[in-house]
Amino acid sequence: MTKTAWVFPGQGSQKIGMGIDLLDLPAAKAKFKQAKEILGWSITEICETQKEKLSQTLYTQPCLYVVESLLADEMFAHSFQPDIVAGHSLGEYVALYVAGVFDFETGLRLIKKRAELMNNATDGQMAALMGFDQKQLEYELQKTENVVLANDNNSAQVVISGRPEAVETLLNNIKVKRAVKLNVSGAFHSHLMESASIEFKKVLESVEFADAKFPIISNFEPIATIDAATIKKRLTQQMTNGVRWRETSLEMQKEEVEKVIEIGPGKVLTGIIKRTCPDFKLANVNSLKDIKAQVKS
């Protein structure tokens, strides 16, 4: 059988209309209701009509967690299952839910707190860089204070994170084919998230993790594991350290993965994985229609 990885995208992949087709499923409808009780607001209302709110960290993270989790549930309902899982930033929490490390409610409560803390961590900037000289970027990162590599997505795409003036300085000092400043509230995956990370660690320590049913590749240390203690330790480092997605792709290759299915809105992860591992078979599941297409393939 084809060894398959399921991967889950993070903040930035959200889009209006995501998850609305799931409302026809009784199990999904029940979890949307449960989510409303936990959050105090409706995932479906935000996803259906409120584009501005959907782009705000406070709402984006819970919406993505719920929609991606429900899509994964439906994949299981159609007798699919992964051999290995991974998620990009927020998506790592969906991967942990899918692997049975914690249940849906626990994951959503963690994401609710994570979103609140990150939303309050202002005075930061992030920028995506496409087409650059790796050595020049490394040199500028070393000599420029208060800016770090937040996402190492592949050899041609990274994200930097830091204080706005530091990000601006670095952008002025390197040659880059394209730079896009991200619409985020803070400098995620950097030392500027330290206070939020300390608060969140206290929350994580109160949650019991189970060993994973499938190996998980974490953002902080991209080496596959099922050990609960290792998974929790790595997750406590995620908020202040970079997402090592290029290495995640290579770890999947090392684990002899042949097919990668991105579960969630958009095609960001399959796009960046393709550059690192061009021989992978890639598929995307954004909706019920996509799941039915997987059944037929």
Side-chain angles (χ1 to χ4, degrees), residues 63-279:
C63 285
L64 284 171
Y65 172 82
V66 170
V67 171
E68 291 176 18
S69 296
L70 292 177
L71 286 170
D73 287 347
E74 194 61 15
M75 287 284 284
F76 282 127
H78 282 79
S79 301
F80 292 107
Q81 74 171 36
D83 296 290
I84 197 164
V85 293
H88 195 287
S89 191
L90 160 75
E92 186 169 340
Y93 288 80
V94 186
L96 294 172
Y97 160 69
V98 165
V101 174
F102 46 63
D103 62 21
F104 174 80
E105 179 180 344
T106 299
L108 183 55
R109 290 189 184 280
L110 284 173
I111 288 298
K112 179 177 183 288
K113 187 62 176 177
R114 182 181 189 266
E116 289 168 355
L117 289 168
M118 293 178 76
N119 189 66
N120 291 334
T122 56
D123 190 30
Q125 177 69 63
M126 300 180 76
L129 313 182
M130 284 76 76
F132 51 87
D133 181 273
Q134 183 68 35
K135 288 185 178 179
Q136 185 191 29
L137 177 61
E138 290 173 0
Y139 172 75
E140 293 297 335
L141 283 168
Q142 286 178 0
K143 79 169 193 175
T144 310
E145 291 185 359
N146 289 318
V147 60
V148 298
L149 185 66
N151 299 345
D152 178 14
N153 288 330
N154 61 32
S155 61
Q157 184 191 117
V158 300
V159 175
I160 58 173
S161 180
R163 298 209 179 278
E165 62 275 14
V167 170
E168 198 65 44
T169 296
L170 190 142
L171 292 177
N172 289 335
N173 289 342
I174 64 169
K175 291 181 180 179
V176 58
K177 186 175 181 181
R178 186 174 177 226
V180 179
K181 291 181 181 177
L182 305 184
N183 182 23
V184 293
S185 60
F188 302 160
H189 297 290
S190 80
H191 58 289
L192 299 178
M193 301 299 295
E194 184 66 31
S195 60
S197 179
I198 290 170
E199 286 298 309
F200 192 60
K201 281 178 185 177
K202 296 174 186 175
V203 179
L204 280 174
E205 285 167 5
S206 69
V207 176
E208 185 175 345
F209 279 29
D211 287 344
K213 297 175 184 177
F214 317 106
I216 291 172
I217 307 173
S218 78
N219 290 179
F220 174 67
E221 189 175 21
I223 300 170
T225 186
I226 62 168
D227 180 67
T230 302
I231 291 166
K232 181 183 280 192
K233 184 179 178 182
R234 290 172 176 176
L235 195 63
T236 62
Q237 303 295 324
Q238 194 215 57
M239 201 180 284
T240 54
N241 288 274
V243 177
R244 296 161 63 181
W245 196 259
R246 179 178 56 82
E247 293 170 83
T248 295
S249 301
L250 293 172
E251 178 71 2
M252 287 190 283
Q253 191 175 63
K254 181 182 173 183
E255 291 287 326
E256 300 181 337
V257 167
E258 299 166 82
K259 182 177 182 178
V260 177
I261 302 176
E262 180 177 1
I263 299 176
K267 298 182 178 182
V268 172
L269 296 185
T270 47
I272 59 180
I273 288 169
K274 186 175 183 179
R275 186 176 184 93
T276 305
C277 300
D279 293 332

